[in-house]
């Protein structure tokens, strides 16, 4: 079955509570698949989608997508992989464009010491400069952290008190120490299809220790497709599979879980 086959909707769980997709990359889809993805998302009850900026090259693109579709919002930020390209002009552009009404966060920003696509000091500098933007504009941050727990924790402990909206560590796969510290500092943790992967016991353990009031849901599509569609392209309409898994791990009725994570998402990104 093709991942964008409309018939897939009949196989997905349905809910009373509307879902919010807090992290995906819609600009990675061509126009045809983008329209189909959003139609499918709507058909399974997703009423808000946040598409995430990652590089100087797609700051405009994600904002254009959000500006042209009522159900889509965007972020502005440079991913740690692209930190070598961070410059004063990029910084100024993020400062300017994050004032747009459709921009709900600064991100995706952070540290990635697994791939080291950018120099580590460049990553730290870009991360801290973008945290400064979030602080001055009163916006939350969407954080990427991989194999960088020690530096991430040190930066968050220093900078978090200045962030009025805090933020989310998305696609959380780090250790328990970072999870507990982030929660103590007021951050949310974002969970996606990794929670359904057979060997992701460490991530499921973090879900179990995280209060439901501090969890948000994401697909990170087109990556990290949840079981049973792993190996196919991911898209927002599969978010319900992740919601079901989180509810099971938290031993909660799925609607109770969805009501909580929806409230979390509205509070974090829309200050509602």
């Amino acid at each position: 079955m093709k991942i964008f086959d409309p018939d897939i909707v009949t196989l997905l769980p349905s809910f009373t509570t509307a879902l919010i997709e807090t992290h995906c990359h819609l600009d990675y889809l061509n126009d045809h698949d983008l329209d189909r993805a959003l139609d499918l998302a709507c058909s399974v009850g997703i009423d808000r989608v946040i598409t995430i900026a990652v590089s100087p090259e797609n700051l405009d693109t994600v904002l254009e997508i959000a500006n042209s579709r009522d159900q889509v919002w965007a972020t502005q930020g440079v991913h740690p992989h692209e930190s070598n390209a961070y410059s004063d002009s990029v910084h100024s552009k993020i400062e300017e464009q994050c004032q747009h009404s459709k921009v709900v966060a600064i991100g995706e920003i952070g540290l990635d010491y697994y791939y080291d696509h950018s120099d580590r000091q460049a990553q730290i500098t870009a991360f801290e400069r973008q945290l400064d933007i979030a602080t001055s504009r009163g916006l939350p941050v969407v954080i990427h952290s991989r194999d960088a727990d020690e530096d991430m924790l040190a930066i968050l402990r220093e900078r978090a008190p200045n962030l009025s909206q805090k933020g989310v560590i998305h696609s959380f796969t780090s250790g328990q120490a970072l999870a507990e510290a982030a929660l103590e500092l007021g951050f949310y943790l974002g969970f996606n299809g990794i929670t359904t992967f057979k060997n992701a016991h460490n991530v499921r353990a973090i879900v179990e220790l995280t209060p439901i009031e501090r969890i948000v849901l994401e697909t990170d599509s087109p990556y990290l497709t949840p079981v049973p569609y792993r190996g196919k392209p991911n898209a927002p309409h599969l978010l319900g599979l992740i919601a079901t898994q989180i509810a099971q791990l938290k031993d909660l009725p799925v609607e109770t879980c969805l009501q909580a994570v929806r409230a979390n998402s509205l509070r974090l990104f829309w200050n509602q």
Side-chain angles (χ1 to χ4, degrees), residues 43-90:
S43 73
V44 298
I46 297 172
D47 66 346
R48 300 189 188 210
V49 175
I50 302 175
T51 188
I52 305 294
V54 295
S55 72
E57 287 70 36
N58 83 332
L59 295 172
D60 291 332
T61 306
V62 297
L63 187 52
E64 289 167 3
I65 291 172
N67 204 34
S68 65
R69 293 167 171 84
D70 290 342
Q71 74 271 46
V72 180
W73 281 259
T75 66
Q76 293 285 280
V78 173
H79 191 285
H81 288 344
E82 306 292 332
S83 295
N84 286 341
Y86 201 80
S87 64
D88 288 344
S89 62
V90 170

Side-chain angles (χ1 to χ4, degrees), residues 139-151:
L139 287 169
V141 289
V142 176
I143 293 175
H144 172 107
S145 182
R146 189 169 185 186
D147 283 11
D149 288 20
E150 184 176 348
D151 282 352

Side-chain angles (χ1 to χ4, degrees), residues 1-3 5-12 40 229 237-238:
M1 178 180 293
K2 295 180 179 179
I3 202 69
D5 186 340
D7 290 340
I8 196 174
V9 171
T10 64
L11 305 176
L12 297 175
L40 284 175
Y229 300 107
H237 66 278
L238 298 181

